[in-house]
Amino acid sequence: MKIINRAAIAGVSGYLPDHVLTNSALEQIVNTNDQWITTRTGIQERRILKGEGLGTSVMAIQAVKDLLQKTATDPETVDLLICATITPDMITPATANIIAHAVGATRAFSYDLQAACSGFLYGLDTAAQFIASGRSKKVVVVGADKMSSITNYTDRATCILFGDGAGAVLVTAHTPESGCGIIDTICKTDGIGQDFLYQKAGGSKLPASHETVSANAHYIYQDGQTVFKAAVTAMSEVVIEMMARHKLTPADITYLVPHQANQRILKLVADRVAIPMEKVMLNIHKYGNTTAATIPLCLWDYEQKLKKGDKLIVTVFGGGFTWGAMYIVWGYDGL
């Protein structure tokens, strides 16, 4: 593929539901306590989407609308809209189709991408390829998940981790000469992960039935210890590989942008790659693990601190297993 343009993030926005689920509130639901949760995860609260009939698209639509307004982008000029999610409104149509229709992106083709917590990075890499080839000029990538819809609030191993939210970015072209944009991406998978992090029922293998509902098989399951170790190893290795590819030292990196799964994971990854914690984007304490939304929500939270030319390394890990890293040179001063 001939590279015509280099893709760059031109704007970022997010949306979080109003309802805050604190650790103290979880103490009333399940056998846990604030100290136990905070010590093991770093999470203090998470946002939950409340209201009958409200799905992931509600959050994603608001994030995308705000993004388009913020960047003064006519929705009819968007060529492609990708929604990374594991909690679609329904199996079909794609949640991306619902979002595109709601925001007025009438010329965009749109689709969902399912790669768990790595979904946003995969989607952003896909957007970069469409921009680089010249096929698209403006791409919206939104990561959104209503994790409360697949979380068992009697299972303290998982219910303390997850929250709801959405984040979106606008991807446009920069000339390679500018030095800015999405420079490189590493995407990896290993199907062995299917045994350690999954939602058992609801797909074609085990369709919904009275038995699956009674067995709580529609909730997410995680073998925490196995996933923890795999995440630390995989995220560290791809960050080191990315830095070696581009001859980057820890001093060169403005921010490490890791998937917000567990604060202990983030600290171990930072230590292994020798990047100090003051250079690690963190918001897990406020939002918990929002799955495909964690990376864009981090960028949204830190946007005003970012300057043109800042060097970011994004790293993710998710069910499947899926993982990867991306090297970005930021293209604008914080809005």
Side-chain angles (χ1 to χ4, degrees), residues 162-206:
F162 296 106
D164 303 338
V169 297
L170 175 67
V171 184
T172 60
H174 272 227
T175 61
E177 292 75 18
S178 73
C180 298
I182 297 169
I183 308 300
D184 195 8
T185 310
I186 300 168
C187 293
K188 296 195 175 187
T189 61
D190 186 347
I192 194 172
Q194 66 183 298
D195 296 327
F196 306 110
L197 180 54
Y198 59 83
Q199 181 184 336
K200 188 173 183 179
S204 59
K205 182 178 179 180
L206 194 61

Side-chain angles (χ1 to χ4, degrees), residues 12-15 61-71 300:
V12 57
S13 189
Y15 176 81
I61 289 166
Q62 192 59 56
V64 174
K65 281 184 175 179
D66 291 348
L67 173 70
L68 297 176
Q69 181 178 14
K70 177 180 180 178
T71 58
W300 184 47

Side-chain angles (χ1 to χ4, degrees), residues 205-256:
K205 182 178 179 180
L206 194 61
S209 66
H210 290 295
E211 290 75 20
T212 62
V213 173
S214 298
N216 290 330
H218 295 268
Y219 295 127
I220 195 164
Y221 165 81
Q222 176 174 276
D223 179 335
Q225 186 174 11
T226 301
V227 173
F228 186 102
K229 291 178 179 178
V232 172
T233 299
M235 292 169 74
S236 302
E237 287 179 350
V238 287
V239 171
I240 290 169
E241 180 181 349
M242 185 65 78
M243 292 174 67
R245 278 190 189 185
H246 297 277
K247 298 179 172 59
L248 297 168
T249 68
D252 296 322
I253 306 303
T254 311
Y255 283 108
L256 178 67

